[in-house]
Amino acid sequence: GWNGHRDACQHPAGGRVLGEAAQLVEHVSWYRDGSNFSTSANGTLVYRATSRPLVLTWFDRRGTALERVSQPGQFFNVALSPDGTHAAVSRENPQRQPDQDIWLMDLKGGASRRLTFDPSVDETPLWFPNGVDILFRQGQDFAVKRIDGLSRERTIYASPRQKFPTDVSPDGGWVLFHEQTLDPVKKTDIFVVR
């Protein structure tokens, strides 16, 4: 079956695809290297439509909405600051899709401001415990930038492989991440970098 990845088209019986391509649906959302869809053996197609703008909202433990803390937008990878007063988010740039930048949001006052302006995709923000520095994936590299925005981001790790940051150690000295390997069996390994 198809799982939404560009290299994953296989006929269950080992056959081949014949004929002309025909568009089935429009506005299917995508994420990184594939679309969000799947098919079943009985021919059912399930897909996630392009997201409408989201509003970040506080909820209680019962799932009751308490307070909206953002204007509508396309948000990905929300990371709360250590003191819980701000969020760092990847936000889609509608003029340069699929470009994303890191934005800081004040969760008390609702104001937001753009932190990164790089033309590559800036995503997956993580806060350092000091509440002043943010780690994020910039293209294929990891970068750090102070939230005051006065300094340029600095690259702390670069490699040609696909990788994503997972966590920052409590002392801020280590970054945990997972990285794609060239081994078709293992596929991904977990690393740390200082």
Side-chain angles (χ1 to χ4, degrees):
W2 296 349
N3 69 0
H5 293 280
R6 62 176 169 250
D7 300 327
C9 179
Q10 287 184 327
H11 188 276
R16 59 180 186 217
V17 178
L18 300 174
E20 296 294 318
Q23 182 175 337
L24 299 176
V25 293
E26 294 181 329
H27 309 291
V28 176
S29 72
W30 64 272
Y31 188 67
R32 294 196 177 110
D33 64 350
S35 294
N36 293 310
F37 73 90
S38 184
T39 61
S40 69
N42 71 6
T44 301
L45 170 67
V46 177
Y47 68 95
R48 180 176 176 204
T50 304
S51 303
R52 63 178 188 242
L54 304 173
V55 176
L56 298 180
T57 306
W58 286 116
F59 288 85
D60 67 15
R61 292 182 184 267
R62 293 182 308 258
T64 304
L66 300 175
E67 177 185 9
R68 291 180 170 200
V69 293
S70 76
Q71 296 296 318
Q74 297 291 356
F75 304 109
F76 306 92
N77 312 115
V78 177
L80 290 176
S81 64
D83 66 4
T85 61
H86 291 80
V89 299
S90 305
R91 191 168 186 181
E92 193 173 76
N93 183 339
Q95 283 77 37
R96 292 193 331 237
Q97 290 181 351
D99 182 29
Q100 293 177 29
D101 290 300
I102 305 299
W103 286 69
L104 296 177
M105 305 183 75
D106 180 346
L107 300 178
K108 300 289 185 197
S112 65
R113 66 180 171 86
R114 191 171 164 189
L115 183 66
T116 64
F117 296 85
D118 189 86
S120 65
V121 173
D122 298 335
E123 63 178 341
T124 322
L126 295 173
W127 289 84
F128 276 85
N130 65 12
V132 174
D133 295 308
I134 293 181
L135 167 79
F136 56 96
R137 182 173 185 251
Q138 185 173 61
Q140 290 285 29
D141 302 334
F142 293 159
V144 174
K145 188 167 185 175
R146 296 184 71 81
I147 63 169
D148 62 15
L150 299 176
S151 59
R152 294 182 52 97
E153 57 266 2
R154 60 183 163 74
T155 300
I156 64 162
Y157 181 73
S159 81
R161 293 194 198 104
Q162 183 95 330
K163 63 193 151 304
F164 296 94
T166 306
D167 205 355
V168 177
S169 65
D171 67 356
W174 297 91
V175 173
L176 180 73
F177 65 97
H178 58 281
E179 181 173 89
Q180 209 173 35
T181 68
L182 299 177
D183 184 327
V185 176
K186 291 192 315 183
K187 297 187 181 177
T188 303
D189 285 337
I190 297 173
F191 295 88
V192 293
V193 64
R194 189 177 268 278

